[in-house]
Amino acid sequence: MFHVVYCFDHNYRQHFGASVTSLLLNYRGPGDGLCIHMVTDSTDAQLESRLETLRRAFKARFELHVVDAAQVAEIATLPLNAQVAKHITTSTYFRLLVPQLLPAEVERILYLDSDTIIIGDIRKLLTFDLGGHCIAGVQDTDEDRFQKFENYHQYINAGVLLMDLKKWRAMDYTRKCFDFGRQPSRNIIYADQCIINSVLADDLTKLPPRWNRFIRGATKIVTATPPVSASEDARIVHYVGAEKPWQAWCTSPDPEYYWTYVTASPWKGAAPVAPVTVNQHHSMARKQMAAGDFEQAGESYERVVTHLLAKSVTRNSQAAWHANRDPQP
């Protein structure tokens, strides 16, 4: 039995649905040989119904693990860098609880972010030799920067991780990660990803880039350094960064990977998230201009101007109120 783990909160259920459907459709082994674990903050009848649809279609096992209030409170003590990584929420730390939440007999798992899409068979990844290491992951594109400025020995991306849970538990890495994260002197930029790369610095090994090929911004699939040969084609793609394919204003390439599988999932019928903020409307306008949709782009720019004018009026009204109010005795 192979064990695969996803961690997500209520807001990421749909994206988990797209990813796990892509996994099940591309897996070339028997479905009943897979156990999908979900670590999440809540459950309800709708989620259970959709999971039952997947169970019936693919014969895989699905096990739900709900993070309790005490664990949520403990996670709240760990840092988030809102300036650099605004899209990262506290649910990213659910990953550190996986060895505790899963049964002790589960000794090895493949962890997948919910913004990954599996586009090929992953059986070779599931049987990858860890060589005695606790975790294997693909080199992150920021590794050189982290090695130069943050003194990391190596730096892997935590979106796809092969994990030896037996060794993790024996080394008490969950406690060590939480202790490290609470130290105020630590410069933790990408939450638990930085913590894992620090605490397990000598217990990490690299996966070939095909197992976590990054899609970000206005570039095509981003390869690690050195470049990957043409024969090493992607098996898993990962929408890294703040822009995601389910956002209407997203300019990341290859959104079809996501939309193909969400349409094939019990979450079919989902629509792109509409822009709300000034920056989102601005990105939407630029995307429409690039596509030649000039009329729609004009409407988006009008919304940007409307937002800015409303903010300006609000600021002026507040300034006038402070200037004209009676002085305090």
Side-chain angles (χ1 to χ4, degrees):
M1 176 73 67
F2 294 117
H3 296 267
V4 180
V5 179
Y6 286 89
C7 298
F8 55 91
D9 60 18
H10 184 274
N11 295 322
Y12 257 61
R13 286 182 182 180
Q14 172 185 308
H15 318 315
F16 153 75
S19 183
V20 75
T21 300
S22 73
L23 166 65
L24 294 166
L25 285 172
N26 286 289
Y27 183 65
R28 296 294 178 260
D32 58 5
L34 279 179
C35 181
I36 311 297
H37 298 268
M38 298 147 289
V39 176
T40 187
D41 57 349
S42 63
T43 186
D44 54 34
Q46 184 184 64
L47 177 60
E48 294 283 0
S49 174
R50 286 169 168 166
L51 293 178
E52 182 58 29
T53 299
L54 291 170
R55 285 189 189 100
R56 290 196 305 267
F58 296 101
K59 311 304 180 187
R61 286 173 52 190
F62 285 84
E63 295 188 4
L64 200 60
H65 310 270
V66 179
V67 179
D68 63 31
Q71 291 165 328
V72 170
E74 187 175 21
I75 285 171
T77 66
L78 296 173
L80 289 175
N81 192 324
Q83 291 182 329
V84 178
K86 296 179 181 179
H87 62 292
I88 297 178
T89 67
T90 54
S91 63
T92 189
Y93 286 113
F94 293 173
R95 188 163 27 201
L96 299 180
L97 300 176
V98 166
Q100 294 179 338
L101 293 173
L102 269 59
E105 59 267 24
V106 179
E107 297 184 350
R108 177 185 170 106
I109 60 102
L110 172 65
Y111 168 84
L112 296 171
D113 268 357
S114 295
D115 54 5
T116 61
I117 296 292
I118 292 76
I119 60 174
D121 189 18
I122 62 166
R123 284 178 298 172
K124 287 186 178 180
L125 173 59
L126 293 169
T127 58
F128 182 86
D129 183 6
L130 286 168
H133 296 91
C134 185
I135 284 181
V138 170
Q139 175 183 321
D140 194 86
T141 53
D142 286 327
E143 181 176 82
D144 289 345
R145 178 167 66 89
F146 275 99
Q147 287 181 319
K148 182 176 181 181
F149 297 108
E150 307 296 339
N151 297 318
Y152 283 83
H153 174 59
Q154 56 185 336
Y155 195 83
I156 61 171
N157 183 277
V160 177
L161 296 176
L162 200 61
M163 302 175 66
D164 181 343
L165 297 192
K166 183 177 181 180
K167 184 172 186 181
W168 179 290
R169 294 170 182 133
M171 297 297 295
D172 199 14
Y173 278 137
T174 294
R175 181 190 60 79
K176 292 176 181 177
C177 285
F178 273 86
D179 288 347
F180 181 91
R182 292 191 188 104
Q183 297 178 30
S185 61
R186 301 298 185 184
N187 186 15
I188 297 171
I189 298 173
Y190 294 118
D192 59 317
Q193 178 169 285
C194 286
I195 293 173
I196 288 171
N197 275 282
S198 295
V199 174
L200 282 78
D202 296 320
D203 214 354
L204 304 174
T205 190
K206 297 285 182 65
L207 288 173
R210 71 167 72 92
W211 301 119
N212 188 2
R213 300 293 291 271
F214 312 126
I215 300 178
R216 172 168 33 209
T219 60
K220 279 288 182 181
I221 293 177
V222 179
T223 64
T225 302
V228 181
S229 69
S231 63
E232 293 187 311
D233 53 319
R235 300 292 191 278
I236 302 174
V237 296
H238 184 191
Y239 294 99
V240 296
E243 283 197 356
K244 304 298 183 183
W246 53 83
Q247 299 164 337
W249 63 92
C250 177
T251 57
S252 291
D254 303 317
E256 67 275 5
Y257 290 126
Y258 173 80
W259 288 107
T260 294
Y261 289 106
V262 79
T263 301
S265 80
W267 284 262
K268 63 183 177 182
V273 177
V276 176
T277 69
V278 171
N279 287 339
Q280 290 167 1
H281 279 295
H282 195 196
S283 295
M284 187 73 178
R286 287 184 294 179
K287 179 179 178 180
Q288 291 163 336
M289 285 288 291
D293 298 330
F294 302 118
E295 183 175 350
Q296 292 182 345
E299 293 175 359
S300 294
Y301 277 124
E302 285 181 10
R303 294 188 185 97
V304 172
V305 173
T306 299
H307 276 280
L308 293 175
L309 286 174
K311 285 187 176 182
S312 178
V313 169
T314 300
R315 284 196 300 267
N316 290 339
S317 298
Q318 291 173 342
W321 182 83
H322 284 291
N324 295 326
R325 69 175 180 164
D326 294 333
Q328 297 295 317

